[in-house]
Amino acid sequence: MTALVVAASLFVGVSLGILGGGGSILTVPILVYLAGQDTKEAIATSLFVVGVTSLAALVPHARAHRVRWRTGLLFGAFSMVGAYGGGRVAEYIPGTVLLVAFALMMLATAAAMLRKPRRQDRPKPQRRDLPLKHIAVEGLIVGAVTGLVGSGGGFLVVPALAILGGLPMGIAVGTSLLVIVMKSFAGLAGHLSGVQIDWGLALAVTAAAVTGSVLGARFAGRIPQDALRKAFGWFVVVMGLFVLGQQLDTAVWTRPATWTGIGTALLAVAAARVRRDLRTRHHSHDSELPAPPDVRGRPEPKARRRATAGKP
């Protein structure tokens, strides 16, 4: 059984190396369903695995100067407070509730991976650092989630750094690894007050994950990222539904209200996707229209069209 756990951990590392995130969300199910660990022990162990693996992945980013240290340290400091508090609170929450929350986190991660990145016609101006109030709020929330359910939360940190801070994606990914390292170890410290960890298994899983991340990084440029991200996203959806189904009572699935809520959520997602596709097609159609001619019958220059776009 230990060999199967190590092999699965190697797959987690490979996915982390190829995708740059998302793989750590599978560590808790591996430890619970393959290694037979208690929920809280699995969450604490996963925080150690995620922290060490992210630290190993941080080194090449730091060498390539893709880490914004001041922003990362500030964000990480607030995340550490939230993660430590979440780890202490998790001691008083039933394991079933934690696994349900973790399954919902898996589904949220899958949705983030399956969502198409928005195309931006005009890049946002880059700011050197996030505003302090945004760092505090985002850091505390993301840290608390990490401390409670044991997920690295990279899919939450990267958008915060890229959208709110205007950081390029490469720098946002590198900086997020610094944040994940800090809050993972802080969450682990919060859990250690009430959880005993099998350090032999933890080190074996960590070694496999780090090895897999190194191997995955070598194949990162050879595999189509969009197709791989979608395939992995749907795999996480299946795993999340499996974990959720294992934890919820059978009677819950026979209630009409349950399926009504599921159907409503699916319809809302489908409607949002259709609206986004229509909006994308509308923008692409407008961009393909020929330019209006000027008074001499020639197409209007692009610079002039941009200057007069909003004028009647």
Side-chain angles (χ1 to χ4, degrees):
M1 184 63 69
T2 302
L4 182 60
V5 173
V6 172
S9 303
L10 186 67
F11 169 73
V12 169
V14 170
S15 65
L16 280 169
I18 295 177
L19 298 174
S24 61
I25 200 74
L26 299 177
T27 307
V28 171
I30 289 173
L31 294 173
V32 171
Y33 297 108
L34 294 183
Q37 287 191 342
D38 177 73
T39 300
K40 297 182 180 180
E41 182 184 3
I43 290 175
T45 304
S46 72
L47 288 171
F48 176 79
V49 175
V50 170
V52 175
T53 306
S54 300
L55 181 60
L58 175 64
V59 174
H61 285 275
R63 290 178 176 175
H65 305 286
R66 291 193 296 265
V67 178
R68 190 67 55 81
W69 291 100
R70 181 178 182 275
T71 299
L73 291 173
L74 283 175
F75 203 120
F78 284 104
S79 296
M80 290 178 72
V81 175
Y84 181 79
R88 294 300 300 267
V89 171
E91 182 180 354
Y92 305 98
I93 300 178
T96 300
V97 176
L98 291 176
L99 273 183
V100 169
F102 188 83
L104 296 177
M105 175 66 69
M106 293 183 72
L107 296 177
T109 301
M113 298 182 71
L114 293 172
R115 185 174 61 238
K116 294 181 180 180
R118 295 182 179 180
R119 296 179 61 183
Q120 297 180 353
D121 297 330
R122 297 180 180 179
K124 296 183 178 180
Q126 297 180 13
R127 296 190 293 268
R128 293 196 60 82
D129 293 294
L130 275 167
L132 183 59
K133 62 179 181 180
H134 289 161
I135 292 178
V137 174
E138 292 282 341
L140 289 172
I141 293 175
V142 174
V145 171
T146 298
L148 280 173
V149 302
S151 171
F155 81 101
L156 293 174
V157 179
V158 172
L161 295 173
I163 297 175
L164 297 179
L167 300 182
M169 281 302 298
I171 295 178
V173 170
T175 306
S176 73
L177 290 171
L178 174 62
V179 176
I180 292 172
V181 171
M182 296 174 66
K183 63 192 181 72
S184 294
F185 286 121
L188 175 63
H191 278 274
L192 287 179
S193 61
V195 176
Q196 295 292 330
I197 292 180
D198 183 354
W199 289 106
L201 179 62
L203 292 174
V205 170
T206 302
V210 171
T211 303
S213 67
V214 174
L215 295 176
R218 295 186 177 183
F219 294 96
R222 306 178 185 178
I223 303 177
Q225 294 293 294
D226 290 339
L228 186 63
R229 183 176 288 106
K230 288 181 180 180
F232 190 80
W234 284 115
F235 177 70
V236 174
V237 168
V238 173
M239 289 295 298
L241 292 176
F242 171 77
V243 174
L244 196 61
Q246 291 290 316
Q247 299 305 312
L248 295 181
D249 195 299
T250 306
V252 175
W253 300 105
T254 61
R255 295 177 182 175
T258 301
W259 293 103
T260 300
I262 293 175
T264 303
L266 292 176
L267 286 176
V269 171
R273 184 159 189 171
V274 170
R275 184 176 61 181
R276 183 183 60 195
D277 291 342
L278 290 175
R279 186 181 303 172
T280 303
R281 292 178 184 177
H282 176 72
H283 289 320
S284 61
H285 176 72
D286 289 344
S287 62
E288 294 175 358
L289 291 177
D294 60 8
V295 294
R296 290 170 291 183
R298 294 179 300 181
E300 187 177 3
K302 292 183 179 180
R304 189 183 302 171
R305 293 204 311 271
R306 286 196 296 267
T308 60
K311 297 181 180 181

